[in-house]
């Protein structure tokens, strides 16, 4: 087995060449900005503003609804137009704060920590919590919760997830090249919280320029190591990344902290740096706009709350009307029903494809070839689990390890019969999780 990888996985077409050489451009916010109160795992945020209120850029407009929650900040100055349900990328109606941008960009006075090297653990955690930072790789788990395990002294690795294994996505790649100091700075701040930990910057080896740059910048730092990972999907999935970089293993019932690890995404670490060193809250992120239907693929710094239609307009739109539009990566992202929905803290990409390969595929019977088992990073049997899901046989599904599925899509991708294995398994997993919460 190659060094720094995991068992299983697939090699889909990368498609990164469309946007990887496009430097990050800053987008100007639109006239109407929408901020859903649920942009994270956990309790929705609670609005602090009402219709007609004047707000400034960087102002907190919603407070955390609990410990596992995160506040929300305005990315523009202007007036609150409404607090009402709005449609989001998943199709749900979510309570949202709607702000009319006055295009003056009047900002609040940011308050960074005076010297984070001398700050206490509690002060750093409070700065991260107050900034509303969540996992920006797509998961959306509040970062201050992740950085506060029961036993901080038991954490021995802090892993910067710079793998960016999803095809077409290049936002993390551009961050690493253009703002490596902030990435390293954010990692150092997290290491400040865990005295016994060593930092690992984990990057797939299809990004040799990033590996070389970050190795050069950290060569004199004894607490940070840069590791080149074998390029393979889903190398950036938390369980796979931990196994590839440390040799440790976790399952669906465990957290990374249970094996002494903390994992944070590239954009998340940059946001930690911005919050602690510059005092700026989470109100913008890097988004890749790409795909063979996109006129001019780009990487943008997007003010959170901006609509996907406005983001698409910034690249000149589509060359032809795509059959498939995706929010996020092609393997784990959401198919979009429309573009008039807001970007959020977890928005990573907008992809447009001329042909919807999945829709044109014809499903046939399983031929028992075992390819899905071979590529499954969870080391389970997707073919049998999908059969259980189609029969709603929860008992057998759980007994066969169905809850260990990470929903990466590798089995569906490799299946010669074009069976929607991941979709079937995902559906029954959701039902089983919902039933467990009721008990």
């Amino acid at each position: 087995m190659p060094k720094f990888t995991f068992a299983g996985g697939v090699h889909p077409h990368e498609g990164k060449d469309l946007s990887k050489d496009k430097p990050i451009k800053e987008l100007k916010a639109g006239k109407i900005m929408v901020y859903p109160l649920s942009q994270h795992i956990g309790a929705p945020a609670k609005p602090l503003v009402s219709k007609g209120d004047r707000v400034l850029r960087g102002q907190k407009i919603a407070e955390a609804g609990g410990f596992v929650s995160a506040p929300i900040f305005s990315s523009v100055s202007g007036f609150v137009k409404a607090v009402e349900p709005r449609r989001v990328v998943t199709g749900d109606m979510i309570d949202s704060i709607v702000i009319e941008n006055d295009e003056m960009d009047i900002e609040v006075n940011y308050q960074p920590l005076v010297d984070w090297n001398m700050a206490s653990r509690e002060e750093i955690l409070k700065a991260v919590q107050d900034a509303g930072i969540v996992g920006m790789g797509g998961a959306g788990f509040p970062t201050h919760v992740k950085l506060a395990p029961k036993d901080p002294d038991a954490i021995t690795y802090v892993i910067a997830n710079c793998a960016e294994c999803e095809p077409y996505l290049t936002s993390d790649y551009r961050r690493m090249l253009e703002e490596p100091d902030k990435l390293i700075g954010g990692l150092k701040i997290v290491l400040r919280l865990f005295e016994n930990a060593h930092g690992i910057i984990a990057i797939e080896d299809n990004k040799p320029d990033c590996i070389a740059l970050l190795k050069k910048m950290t060569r004199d730092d004894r607490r940070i190591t840069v590791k080149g990972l074998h390029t393979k999907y889903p190398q950036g999935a938390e369980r796979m990344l931990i196994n590839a970089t440390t040799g440790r293993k976790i399952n669906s019932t465990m957290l990374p902290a249970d094996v002494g690890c903390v994992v944070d995404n590239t954009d998340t670490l940059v946001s930690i740096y911005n919050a602690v060193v510059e005092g700026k809250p989470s109100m913008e992120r890097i988004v890749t706009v790409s795909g063979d239907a996109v006129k001019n693929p780009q990487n943008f710094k997007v003010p959170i709350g901006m609509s996907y239609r406005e983001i698409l307009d910034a690249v000149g739109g589509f060359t032809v009307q795509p059959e498939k539009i995706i929010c996020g990566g092609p393997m784990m992202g959401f198919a979009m029903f429309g573009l008039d929905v807001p970007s959020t803290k977890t928005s990573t990409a907008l992809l447009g494809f001329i042909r919807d390969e999945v829709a044109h595929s014809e499903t046939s019977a399983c031929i028992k070839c075992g390819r899905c088992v071979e590529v499954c990073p969870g080391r389970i049997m997707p073919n049998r689990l999908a059969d259980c899901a189609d029969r709603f046989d929860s008992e057998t599904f759980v007994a066969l390890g169905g809850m260990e599925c990470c929903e990466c899509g590798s089995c569906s991708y490799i299946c010669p019969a074009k069976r929607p294995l991941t979709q079937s398994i995902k559906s029954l997993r959701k039902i089983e999780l919902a039933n467990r919460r009721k008990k």
Side-chain angles (χ1 to χ4, degrees):
M1 184 185 299
K3 194 176 182 182
F4 303 138
T5 191
F6 61 96
V10 293
H11 294 84
H13 171 65
E14 290 187 10
K16 294 179 184 288
D17 57 316
L18 293 175
S19 59
K20 76 180 187 66
D21 296 323
K22 304 292 183 67
I24 297 168
K25 291 185 177 180
E26 191 162 350
L27 281 189
K28 184 175 175 61
K31 189 63 178 177
I32 301 297
M33 305 290 284
V34 179
Y35 304 89
L37 296 176
S38 292
Q39 300 189 33
H40 48 263
I41 291 174
K46 298 178 180 179
L48 295 173
V49 294
S50 303
K51 182 178 180 179
D53 286 354
R54 176 92 166 96
V55 298
L56 303 180
R57 186 173 189 269
Q59 179 180 329
K60 185 190 294 186
I61 55 176
E63 63 182 352
F67 180 64
V68 184
S69 184
I72 296 168
F73 298 81
S74 176
S75 54
V76 298
S77 60
F79 294 88
V80 178
K81 190 175 181 181
V83 180
E84 62 187 17
R86 284 293 185 106
R87 190 81 61 187
V88 295
V89 70
T90 57
D92 299 319
M93 294 293 286
I94 300 293
D95 287 341
S96 306
I97 297 170
V98 183
I99 294 178
E100 185 173 354
N101 181 8
D102 63 11
E103 301 181 12
M104 296 175 67
D105 281 336
I106 303 173
E107 294 188 281
V108 300
N109 293 318
Y110 302 118
Q111 299 294 324
L113 289 180
V114 177
D115 184 357
W116 65 265
N117 281 294
M118 300 300 293
S120 67
R121 189 170 193 278
E122 290 70 26
E123 288 173 322
I124 293 175
L125 282 174
K126 187 176 186 304
V128 172
Q129 183 174 10
D130 289 349
I133 300 170
V134 303
M136 299 177 80
F141 191 79
T143 301
H144 69 276
V145 180
K146 182 182 286 189
L147 299 182
K150 293 181 179 179
D151 185 5
D153 292 336
I155 301 299
T156 52
Y157 288 108
V158 175
I159 305 169
N161 185 357
C162 305
E164 197 166 50
C165 61
E166 274 272 14
Y168 292 90
L169 273 59
T170 56
S171 55
D172 285 353
Y173 173 75
R174 295 310 312 179
R175 272 285 204 199
M176 286 185 275
L177 285 183
E178 297 181 40
E179 296 184 307
D181 53 331
K182 289 190 174 184
L183 168 63
I184 295 168
L187 178 57
K188 287 182 177 180
I189 291 170
V190 177
L191 286 171
R192 178 82 174 77
L193 303 175
F194 305 106
E195 295 183 358
N196 299 327
H198 184 81
I200 298 174
I201 301 177
I203 312 172
E204 282 193 326
D205 57 15
N206 62 353
K207 308 173 188 66
D209 44 357
C210 292
I211 293 173
L213 175 62
L214 291 167
K215 278 188 174 182
K216 180 180 178 181
M217 294 181 67
T218 59
R219 62 189 174 192
D220 297 325
D221 195 319
R222 295 181 179 178
R223 293 192 70 191
I224 297 177
T225 300
V226 178
K227 289 190 176 183
L229 309 176
H230 180 57
T231 299
K232 182 170 60 171
Y233 177 86
Q235 189 72 262
E238 204 166 55
R239 286 188 237 172
M240 284 78 250
L241 190 71
I242 290 171
N243 182 231
T245 55
T246 71
R248 300 174 185 180
K249 295 182 180 181
I250 60 173
N251 58 38
S252 62
T253 65
M254 301 168 67
L255 295 172
D258 294 332
V259 291
C261 296
V262 167
V263 182
D264 277 314
N265 166 264
T266 305
D267 230 358
T268 306
L269 289 168
V270 171
S271 295
I272 290 172
Y273 177 92
N274 289 338
V276 174
V277 178
E278 300 179 358
K280 293 182 178 180
S282 180
M283 55 183 178
E284 58 189 18
R285 64 156 302 125
I286 311 301
V287 175
T288 297
V289 184
S290 189
D292 60 7
V294 172
K295 188 170 290 185
N296 183 25
Q298 294 283 340
N299 296 288
F300 291 119
K301 182 178 288 187
V302 175
I304 290 168
M306 190 174 186
S307 81
Y308 279 92
R309 186 171 299 282
E310 291 170 324
I311 297 172
L312 178 65
D313 288 343
V315 299
F318 295 123
T319 55
V320 297
Q321 183 59 37
E323 289 187 355
K324 176 78 81 174
I325 303 173
I326 298 174
C327 168
M331 298 297 286
M332 294 189 72
F334 296 97
M336 297 182 70
F337 60 89
L339 294 167
D340 295 314
V341 290
S343 58
T344 66
K345 296 177 184 180
T346 58
S347 300
T348 57
L350 170 62
L351 306 178
F353 297 102
I354 295 173
R355 179 179 169 84
D356 184 349
E357 297 291 345
V358 175
H360 289 285
S361 298
E362 291 189 13
T363 302
S364 59
C366 175
I367 61 173
K368 305 293 190 295
C369 67
R371 293 183 191 177
C372 61
V373 179
E374 182 181 349
V375 303
C376 177
R379 316 319 292 155
I380 49 181
M381 296 179 287
N383 54 339
R384 293 192 61 188
L385 291 170
D387 289 340
C388 292
D390 293 342
R391 298 193 306 268
F392 294 98
D393 183 356
S394 294
E395 184 177 349
T396 306
F397 180 85
V398 173
L400 291 175
M403 302 310 290
E404 294 305 310
C405 173
C406 66
E407 302 176 7
C408 68
S410 294
C411 55
S412 296
Y413 173 82
I414 207 70
C415 178
K418 305 300 180 185
R419 297 178 70 202
L421 301 170
T422 304
Q423 292 82 351
S424 295
I425 296 169
K426 184 176 182 179
S427 296
L428 192 54
R429 281 188 80 247
K430 282 188 174 181
I431 293 171
E432 179 63 25
L433 288 170
N435 289 337
R436 291 181 182 184
R437 285 193 290 268
K438 292 176 183 178
K439 295 179 181 178

